[in-house]
Amino acid sequence: MSIGLHKESAKSGHLWIIASAILLQIIAIWFLPVIEDEAYFVSWGDHLSGGYYDHPPMTGWIAYLLSYFQHEELLLRLLSLSMGLSLLALFAAIARRLTDPLSALTIAIAWYVLPVNMLAFGMYLNDTIVTFLSILFVCCSYLSIKSEQNNPTASYIYALLAGVILGLAMLTKYLAAMYVIALVIFLFINFSRYQKFILTKLSIIALVSTALFCIHLYWNYNNCTINFAFNFLHRKKGTPLGGAIEFILTMMVILGPVLTYRMVRHYSAFKREDKTANSPPFFIPLFFIILLVVFSASVASGHFGIHWGIPLSFFGLLAVAEANRHPPISQALMRYNFGYAALFYAILFAALWVLGSNLLSDNKAVQKAQQSYGFYQDLTNGHIGEALNRRFPNRSVMAEEYPLSSILNNNEINAVFMFSDSKFGRNDDIFVDIAQFDEGDFVIMLPKQRDNLDYYRSFFRAVKLEQLSAPHGPHSILVAEGFDFASYKEKILKPIINKLYSHPRILNSGCYMDRYGITPE
């Protein structure tokens, strides 16, 4: 009886923790500004395309489908939340195959309440989508393997599903390839054990995913092979040592101090194979292979993205469930990880409160952040749009940074991204022909070189720095008349094409930048 009461009490505690975590996420979803890369990915929904400048198209397709609804940004964030909760349920279901039900639920919650996971699954990023799909792919492959003997039909269904999911993952971001490589290495290391799966199901997965990925290859064939150039040629590479250090430090941030300590301390428990188990371990060796593949990619590129580590934490904690040698650890991990998340969100909400107040406004960095936050509030409340329509009803709007351009577009101000040679966020290269603005008039929002009007005078017949009135303003704008496209083409477009579009185009039939008649040097 006491054991039953203990379990019921534990389940009640689990429910309280996961409900609190979801509440924190919903508060963040509602109040956190949609800025930077998140705003950029939301803006992909403005165009239905077979691809986008930076990455394959899945992120844009989803955003396009939801662009027909009001509060698109909120819906996209709620979609991300549903992805995270789906992975929580999937984790618990798979962990039940590895340990007792209560421990499975406990470890699942311990994974979900890691602050990086909670934040990622409360924002609309292509990293969130590819993480979701990559984890689903590996889990479907696992379920296919485990169903081979008892339910062959289910095994083939899981394999087919894994192929579709992998194809969608590769249509989201190339990052998914790391988990494919790790799984294939794991399978071939254990070839005798998984020979049947490799020769049948793995072939199905490869064929289905490749067929879907061909959509992406065809688009790149007709569009400067720009995704390959952006991801493999234009990204800045660091040093191998820098990549290794970044990997270690970032993983410590992702896992938190307690989970990092526990996993290092009990490393030997993962290495030992449970001789009493009905089947050999799957997630323990797979986790270390994924760790090795991701670490190798980090060293090779000299960089480690924090989003790379979310699947690592998923499979790492499944390895904890599979080892199951220290049951009390799971309870401790859940409590400590939630405490880590609560501390993180407390700091985050405190920072938002400071941005929305006059507190610490004597500090220049804080003052600048408060001004940016004030502009965002005026924009989302419609004040910027109203002021522009009232004063400049027929002028095009331009921004010199892609996040600002994206935020404006997401708030019903049709803005174009210009005057930047940044290798990031260049979707407007694809969808906007700058030549159409020749002799036109612009309002440049928050001009970067507001103290150097001579720079702008080389591209416009007349320029004037003004202020746009708004409750949290005024906000700087540049009123520019008579755009000189010929000057812009020579001084801006030509260097951009030489910098970002001069790469070899293997089997390439065309490039959208050819519209300007500039031959790369």
Side-chain angles (χ1 to χ4, degrees):
M1 186 70 176
S2 60
I3 295 176
L5 287 174
H6 172 72
K7 287 185 176 181
E8 288 302 316
S9 176
K11 288 180 180 179
S12 176
H14 290 38
L15 181 63
W16 182 88
I17 287 178
I18 196 62
S20 300
I22 294 171
L23 178 62
L24 288 173
Q25 285 182 288
I26 291 174
I27 294 172
I29 284 171
W30 186 263
F31 288 105
L32 273 183
V34 181
I35 56 175
E36 298 298 328
D37 281 357
E38 185 180 17
Y40 179 55
F41 291 127
V42 170
S43 74
W44 286 20
D46 293 341
H47 305 277
L48 182 61
S49 174
Y52 300 84
Y53 172 83
D54 318 69
H55 298 290
M58 180 59 63
T59 307
W61 291 352
I62 296 172
Y64 180 81
L65 288 175
L66 292 183
S67 67
Y68 289 97
F69 299 93
Q70 288 187 336
H71 309 297
E72 174 194 5
E73 296 170 343
L74 179 62
L75 290 175
L76 289 169
R77 282 185 165 184
L78 290 174
L79 176 64
S80 293
L81 176 62
S82 70
M83 291 180 186
L85 293 174
S86 298
L87 289 183
L88 170 65
L90 177 64
F91 190 116
I94 290 180
R96 284 172 67 96
R97 294 169 170 257
L98 310 172
T99 185
D100 65 274
L102 184 58
S103 294
L105 180 61
T106 304
I107 299 174
I109 296 173
W111 170 77
Y112 186 80
V113 298
L114 284 169
V116 171
N117 297 344
M118 288 175 61
L119 188 63
F121 289 107
M123 301 174 69
Y124 186 71
L125 301 167
N126 68 341
D127 299 318
T128 303
I129 300 169
V130 76
T131 294
F132 173 71
L133 293 172
S134 298
I135 291 174
L136 274 186
F137 156 69
V138 174
C139 290
C140 283
S141 299
Y142 165 78
L143 292 172
S144 178
I145 290 169
K146 292 302 179 181
S147 303
E148 275 190 317
Q149 289 188 352
N150 298 330
N151 195 340
T153 301
S155 180
Y156 277 102
I157 292 172
Y158 281 126
L160 181 62
L161 191 58
V164 172
I165 292 168
L166 175 57
L168 296 179
M170 292 299 293
L171 282 174
T172 304
K173 197 171 183 179
Y174 300 149
L175 174 69
M178 290 196 293
Y179 305 100
V180 180
I181 293 169
L183 180 62
V184 170
I185 291 173
F186 166 75
L187 292 173
F188 276 90
I189 287 175
N190 300 279
F191 184 82
S192 59
R193 184 180 299 159
Y194 299 115
Q195 181 177 357
K196 183 180 179 181
F197 178 84
I198 292 170
L199 296 178
T200 55
K201 317 302 188 311
L202 192 61
S203 301
I204 293 172
I205 293 171
L207 286 172
V208 173
S209 59
T210 300
L212 288 171
F213 191 64
C214 283
I215 298 171
H216 175 64
L217 294 177
Y218 178 76
W219 183 87
N220 270 272
Y221 169 74
N222 289 289
N223 289 275
C224 327
T225 56
I226 191 58
N227 283 171
F228 299 113
F230 171 78
N231 285 281
F232 299 113
L233 297 179
H234 299 329
R235 283 183 177 269
K236 183 180 179 181
K237 291 187 177 182
T239 64
L241 178 60
I245 293 173
E246 199 173 330
F247 172 86
I248 294 169
L249 294 179
T250 306
M251 283 305 302
M252 290 176 67
V253 171
I254 291 172
L255 299 177
V258 176
L259 183 52
T260 300
Y261 168 74
R262 292 290 190 179
M263 293 192 78
V264 171
R265 181 180 176 186
H266 297 292
Y267 167 71
S268 58
F270 295 129
K271 290 175 60 180
R272 293 195 299 269
E273 184 171 329
D274 189 352
K275 303 299 182 182
T276 64
N278 294 326
S279 60
F282 184 92
F283 289 105
I284 294 174
L286 178 62
F287 166 65
F288 286 107
I289 292 172
I290 293 175
L291 198 67
L292 180 61
V293 169
V294 174
F295 177 76
S296 299
S298 181
V299 170
S301 65
H303 168 70
F304 179 76
I306 193 166
H307 51 280
W308 297 11
I310 298 176
L312 274 175
S313 65
F314 186 94
F315 297 117
L317 280 169
L318 274 179
V320 170
E322 194 166 51
N324 196 28
R325 298 185 183 278
H326 305 278
I329 290 178
S330 58
Q331 293 281 349
L333 284 181
M334 181 182 68
R335 290 194 298 269
Y336 284 126
N337 288 357
F338 179 68
Y340 183 38
L343 176 62
F344 171 84
Y345 275 92
I347 295 171
L348 181 65
F349 294 149
L352 279 177
W353 179 68
V354 169
L355 289 177
S357 68
N358 293 321
L359 198 67
L360 304 177
S361 57
D362 293 338
N363 182 287
K364 289 185 178 181
V366 173
Q367 186 182 54
K368 184 177 180 180
Q370 288 173 336
Q371 289 172 348
S372 297
Y373 186 67
F375 174 82
Y376 179 83
Q377 287 182 303
D378 285 337
L379 179 62
T380 54
N381 289 329
H383 300 303
I384 300 294
E386 290 172 4
L388 287 173
N389 288 333
R390 184 172 61 252
R391 293 183 57 188
F392 312 102
N394 298 314
R395 294 202 182 207
S396 300
V397 178
M398 187 253 284
E400 297 172 273
E401 295 179 339
Y402 77 88
L404 177 56
S405 171
S406 302
I407 294 169
L408 291 167
N409 278 294
N410 294 340
N411 286 276
E412 300 183 356
I413 297 175
N414 189 20
V416 60
F417 172 46
M418 292 172 60
F419 286 96
S420 173
D421 66 349
S422 170
K423 60 183 174 239
F424 298 104
R426 304 199 64 89
N427 266 348
D428 280 356
D429 284 0
I430 302 172
F431 303 115
V432 179
D433 183 354
I434 304 299
Q436 68 179 298
F437 299 112
D438 192 27
E439 293 297 322
D441 300 333
F442 276 99
V443 173
I444 302 176
M445 299 299 301
L446 307 180
K448 293 176 67 175
Q449 303 192 46
R450 65 191 72 183
D451 297 325
N452 182 16
L453 296 187
D454 287 342
Y455 171 79
Y456 297 105
R457 289 191 179 103
S458 63
F459 302 102
F460 294 95
R461 185 171 59 251
V463 293
K464 183 180 179 182
L465 188 64
E466 296 190 15
Q467 300 293 321
L468 201 66
S469 297
H472 295 89
H475 307 293
S476 298
I477 60 171
L478 194 71
V479 180
E481 298 178 351
F483 176 59
D484 184 352
F485 173 72
S487 178
Y488 186 85
K489 177 180 176 180
E490 182 63 27
K491 296 177 182 179
I492 302 293
L493 283 178
K494 188 174 181 180
I496 287 173
I497 289 172
N498 287 330
K499 176 183 176 181
L500 301 176
Y501 293 94
S502 60
H503 55 273
R505 303 174 192 171
I506 302 172
L507 298 176
N508 175 255
S509 68
C511 179
Y512 45 83
M513 297 302 278
D514 292 343
R515 66 167 78 102
Y516 299 116
I518 300 173
T519 302
E521 297 175 357

